[in-house]
């Protein structure tokens, strides 16, 4: 399998298809375009030329940024693609964002251990996956990039 990670947002069609593939709802093309336009960074994963994953960031890039829509299509999960997407997105944010920018995310229930490996800290909330955060500089240190 030839996995490639690209520093780009998905197309509208890719975004809609990926969200739908993991049952996160299917936004209209207009809503998908608006969401993507509000992104400050994005990465995609492709296998043999087909886009099978994505992650994006939203926020101001100075004080607060949130990782959104970390998606890997079902047949490609558990193969390290999610790790590559999040790592590449953090690297991209490290190049452009304030190093003390708070990077937050909301993990799906049961996925918090995936994010703690990158240096995020869990903030448990009953009934939901935890909200998590870490400053960009701490995330870089946790990954050995600093």
């Amino acid at each position: 399998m030839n996995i490639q990670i690209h520093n780009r947002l998905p197309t509208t069609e890719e975004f809609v298809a990926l969200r739908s593939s993991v049952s996160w709802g299917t936004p209209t093309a207009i809503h998908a375009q608006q969401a993507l336009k509000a992104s400050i960074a994005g990465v995609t994963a492709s296998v043999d030329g087909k886009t099978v994953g994505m992650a994006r960031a939203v926020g101001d890039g100075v004080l607060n940024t949130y990782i959104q829509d970390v998606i890997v299509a079902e047949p490609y999960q558990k193969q390290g693609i999610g790790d590559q997407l999040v790592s590449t997105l953090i690297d991209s944010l490290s190049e452009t964002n304030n190093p003390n920018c708070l990077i937050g995310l909301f993990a799906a229930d049961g996925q918090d251990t995936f994010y703690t490996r990158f240096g995020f800290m869990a903030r448990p909330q009953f009934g939901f996956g935890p909200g998590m955060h870490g400053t960009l500089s701490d995330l870089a240190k946790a990954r050995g990039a600093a």
Side-chain angles (χ1 to χ4, degrees):
M1 179 168 30
N2 181 20
I3 301 167
Q4 293 185 321
I5 304 297
H6 312 276
N7 273 310
R8 70 167 181 85
L9 287 165
T11 66
T12 301
E13 294 78 17
E14 291 167 340
F15 182 69
V16 169
L18 285 167
R19 284 187 59 91
S20 181
S21 78
V22 293
S23 301
W24 287 3
T26 305
T28 66
I30 290 170
H31 287 147
Q33 289 167 359
Q34 290 172 334
L36 291 169
K37 185 177 179 180
S39 303
I40 61 172
V43 293
T44 59
S46 64
V47 173
D48 300 324
K50 177 184 176 186
T51 300
V52 300
M54 67 159 290
R56 68 186 183 105
V58 298
D60 57 33
V62 179
L63 300 177
N64 297 290
T65 296
Y66 292 87
I67 293 178
Q68 295 289 141
D69 301 317
V70 178
I71 302 170
V72 177
E74 179 91 31
Y76 301 95
Q77 293 176 2
K78 308 288 184 203
Q79 298 179 38
I81 295 172
D83 287 341
Q84 292 179 58
L85 287 167
V86 173
S87 289
T88 303
L89 185 58
I90 290 170
D91 288 345
S92 178
L93 293 170
S94 294
E95 293 174 12
T96 59
N97 285 19
N98 169 9
N100 292 316
C101 183
L102 179 81
I103 306 295
L105 60 85
F106 295 96
D109 196 25
Q111 295 299 313
D112 50 312
T113 56
F114 172 82
Y115 293 103
T116 58
R117 294 182 306 184
F118 295 97
F120 288 95
M121 296 175 286
R123 295 172 44 194
Q125 179 67 22
F126 180 77
F128 297 97
M132 305 176 83
H133 72 276
T135 62
L136 193 53
S137 58
D138 288 345
L139 295 174
K141 285 178 196 171
R143 295 183 47 254

Coordinates of all heavy atoms in Angstrom, one line a residue, residues 56 65-70 86 90 102-108 111-112 114-116 118 120-123 129-134 139:
R56 N -7.8 18.7 9.8 CA -7.7 20.1 9.5 C -7.7 20.9 10.8 O -8.0 20.3 11.9 CB -8.8 20.6 8.6 CG -10.2 20.6 9.3 CD -11.3 21.0 8.3 NE -12.6 21.0 8.9 CZ -13.2 22.1 9.3 NH1 -12.8 23.3 9.0 NH2 -14.4 22.1 9.9
T65 N -6.2 27.3 18.5 CA -6.4 26.6 17.3 C -6.9 25.2 17.7 O -6.6 24.7 18.8 CB -5.0 26.4 16.6 OG1 -4.5 27.7 16.1 CG2 -5.2 25.5 15.3
Y66 N -7.8 24.7 16.9 CA -8.5 23.4 17.2 C -8.3 22.5 16.0 O -8.5 22.9 14.9 CB -10.0 23.6 17.5 CG -10.1 24.3 18.8 CD1 -10.2 25.7 18.8 CD2 -10.2 23.6 20.0 CE1 -10.3 26.4 20.0 CE2 -10.3 24.3 21.2 CZ -10.4 25.7 21.2 OH -10.5 26.4 22.4
I67 N -7.9 21.3 16.4 CA -7.8 20.2 15.4 C -9.2 19.6 15.2 O -9.9 19.3 16.2 CB -6.8 19.1 15.8 CG1 -5.4 19.8 15.8 CG2 -6.9 17.9 14.9 CD1 -4.3 18.8 16.2
Q68 N -9.6 19.5 14.0 CA -11.0 19.1 13.6 C -10.9 18.0 12.6 O -10.0 17.9 11.8 CB -11.8 20.3 13.0 CG -12.0 21.4 13.9 CD -13.0 21.1 14.9 OE1 -12.9 21.5 16.1 NE2 -14.1 20.3 14.7
D69 N -11.9 17.2 12.5 CA -12.1 16.3 11.4 C -10.9 15.4 11.1 O -10.5 15.3 10.0 CB -12.6 17.0 10.2 CG -13.8 17.8 10.4 OD1 -14.8 17.3 11.0 OD2 -13.9 19.0 9.9
V70 N -10.4 14.7 12.1 CA -9.4 13.7 11.9 C -10.1 12.5 11.5 O -10.8 11.8 12.3 CB -8.5 13.5 13.1 CG1 -7.5 12.4 12.8 CG2 -7.8 14.8 13.6
V86 N -2.0 13.5 12.0 CA -1.9 14.4 13.1 C -0.5 15.0 13.2 O -0.3 16.1 13.5 CB -2.4 13.7 14.4 CG1 -2.1 14.6 15.6 CG2 -3.9 13.4 14.3
I90 N 0.4 18.9 13.0 CA 1.2 19.6 14.1 C 2.4 20.3 13.5 O 2.7 21.4 13.9 CB 1.4 18.7 15.3 CG1 0.2 18.3 16.0 CG2 2.4 19.3 16.2 CD1 0.3 17.2 17.0
L102 N -2.6 27.7 22.1 CA -3.3 26.5 22.6 C -3.9 25.7 21.5 O -4.6 26.2 20.7 CB -4.4 27.0 23.6 CG -5.2 25.8 24.2 CD1 -4.4 25.2 25.4 CD2 -6.6 26.3 24.6
I103 N -3.5 24.4 21.4 CA -4.1 23.5 20.4 C -5.1 22.6 21.1 O -4.7 21.9 22.0 CB -3.0 22.7 19.7 CG1 -1.8 23.5 19.2 CG2 -3.6 21.8 18.6 CD1 -2.2 24.5 18.1
G104 N -6.3 22.7 20.7 CA -7.4 21.9 21.4 C -8.0 21.0 20.4 O -7.8 21.1 19.2
L105 N -8.7 20.0 20.9 CA -9.5 19.1 20.1 C -10.5 18.5 21.0 O -10.5 18.5 22.2 CB -8.6 18.1 19.4 CG -7.8 17.2 20.3 CD1 -8.6 15.9 20.7 CD2 -6.6 16.7 19.5
F106 N -11.5 17.8 20.4 CA -12.5 17.1 21.1 C -12.4 15.6 20.5 O -12.8 15.4 19.4 CB -13.9 17.7 20.9 CG -14.0 19.0 21.5 CD1 -13.8 20.2 20.8 CD2 -14.2 19.1 22.9 CE1 -13.9 21.4 21.4 CE2 -14.3 20.4 23.5 CZ -14.1 21.5 22.7
A107 N -11.9 14.7 21.4 CA -11.7 13.4 21.0 C -13.1 12.6 20.9 O -13.9 12.9 21.8 CB -10.8 12.7 21.9
A108 N -13.3 11.8 20.0 CA -14.4 10.9 20.0 C -14.3 10.0 21.2 O -13.2 9.7 21.6 CB -14.5 10.1 18.7
Q111 N -11.2 7.6 22.1 CA -10.1 7.9 21.3 C -9.0 8.8 22.0 O -8.1 9.2 21.4 CB -10.5 8.6 20.0 CG -11.3 7.7 19.1 CD -10.6 6.5 18.6 OE1 -9.5 6.6 18.2 NE2 -11.2 5.3 18.7
D112 N -9.3 9.1 23.3 CA -8.3 9.9 24.0 C -6.9 9.4 24.0 O -6.0 10.2 23.9 CB -8.9 10.3 25.4 CG -9.3 9.1 26.2 OD1 -10.0 8.2 25.7 OD2 -8.8 9.0 27.3
F114 N -5.3 7.9 21.8 CA -4.7 8.2 20.5 C -4.0 9.6 20.6 O -2.9 9.7 20.1 CB -5.8 8.2 19.3 CG -5.2 8.7 18.0 CD1 -4.5 7.8 17.2 CD2 -5.5 10.0 17.6 CE1 -4.0 8.3 16.0 CE2 -5.0 10.5 16.4 CZ -4.3 9.6 15.6
Y115 N -4.7 10.5 21.1 CA -4.2 11.9 21.2 C -3.2 12.1 22.3 O -2.3 13.0 22.2 CB -5.4 12.9 21.3 CG -6.2 12.9 20.0 CD1 -7.4 12.3 20.0 CD2 -5.7 13.5 18.9 CE1 -8.2 12.3 18.8 CE2 -6.5 13.5 17.7 CZ -7.7 12.9 17.7 OH -8.5 12.9 16.6
T116 N -3.3 11.4 23.4 CA -2.3 11.6 24.5 C -0.9 11.2 24.0 O 0.1 11.8 24.5 CB -2.7 10.8 25.8 OG1 -2.8 9.4 25.5 CG2 -3.9 11.4 26.4
F118 N 0.5 12.2 21.4 CA 1.1 13.4 20.8 C 1.4 14.4 21.9 O 1.9 15.5 21.5 CB 0.1 13.9 19.8 CG -0.1 13.0 18.6 CD1 -1.2 12.2 18.6 CD2 0.8 13.0 17.6 CE1 -1.4 11.3 17.5 CE2 0.7 12.1 16.5 CZ -0.5 11.3 16.5
F120 N -1.2 15.6 24.1 CA -2.4 16.3 24.5 C -2.8 15.8 25.9 O -2.5 14.6 26.2 CB -3.5 16.0 23.6 CG -3.4 16.7 22.3 CD1 -2.9 16.1 21.2 CD2 -3.9 18.0 22.1 CE1 -2.8 16.8 20.0 CE2 -3.8 18.7 20.9 CZ -3.2 18.1 19.9
M121 N -3.4 16.6 26.7 CA -3.8 16.3 28.0 C -5.4 16.2 28.1 O -6.0 17.0 27.5 CB -3.4 17.3 29.1 CG -1.9 17.4 29.2 SD -1.4 18.8 30.3 CE -1.8 20.2 29.3
A122 N -5.9 15.1 28.7 CA -7.3 14.9 28.7 C -8.0 15.7 29.8 O -7.4 16.0 30.8 CB -7.6 13.4 29.0
R123 N -9.2 16.2 29.4 CA -10.1 16.9 30.3 C -11.4 16.2 30.3 O -12.3 16.5 29.6 CB -10.3 18.4 29.9 CG -9.0 19.2 29.9 CD -9.2 20.5 29.2 NE -10.4 21.1 29.7 CZ -10.9 22.2 29.1 NH1 -10.3 22.8 28.0 NH2 -12.0 22.7 29.5
G129 N -16.5 12.2 24.8 CA -15.1 12.0 24.8 C -14.5 13.3 25.3 O -15.1 14.4 25.3
P130 N -13.3 13.2 25.9 CA -12.7 14.4 26.6 C -12.3 15.5 25.6 O -11.8 15.2 24.5 CB -11.5 13.8 27.3 CG -11.1 12.6 26.5 CD -12.4 12.1 26.0
G131 N -12.5 16.7 26.1 CA -11.8 17.8 25.4 C -10.3 17.8 25.8 O -10.0 17.3 26.9
M132 N -9.5 18.1 24.9 CA -8.0 18.0 25.2 C -7.3 19.2 24.7 O -7.8 19.9 23.8 CB -7.5 16.7 24.5 CG -8.2 15.4 24.9 SD -7.7 14.0 24.0 CE -6.3 13.6 25.0
H133 N -6.2 19.5 25.3 CA -5.4 20.6 24.8 C -3.9 20.4 25.1 O -3.6 19.6 25.9 CB -5.9 21.9 25.6 CG -5.6 21.9 27.0 ND1 -6.3 21.3 28.0 CD2 -4.5 22.5 27.6 CE1 -5.7 21.5 29.1 NE2 -4.6 22.2 29.0
G134 N -3.2 21.2 24.5 CA -1.7 21.3 24.7 C -1.2 22.5 23.9 O -1.7 22.8 22.8
L139 N 3.5 20.3 22.6 CA 3.3 19.2 21.7 C 4.5 18.9 20.9 O 4.9 17.7 20.7 CB 2.1 19.5 20.8 CG 0.8 19.7 21.5 CD1 -0.3 20.2 20.4 CD2 0.3 18.4 22.1

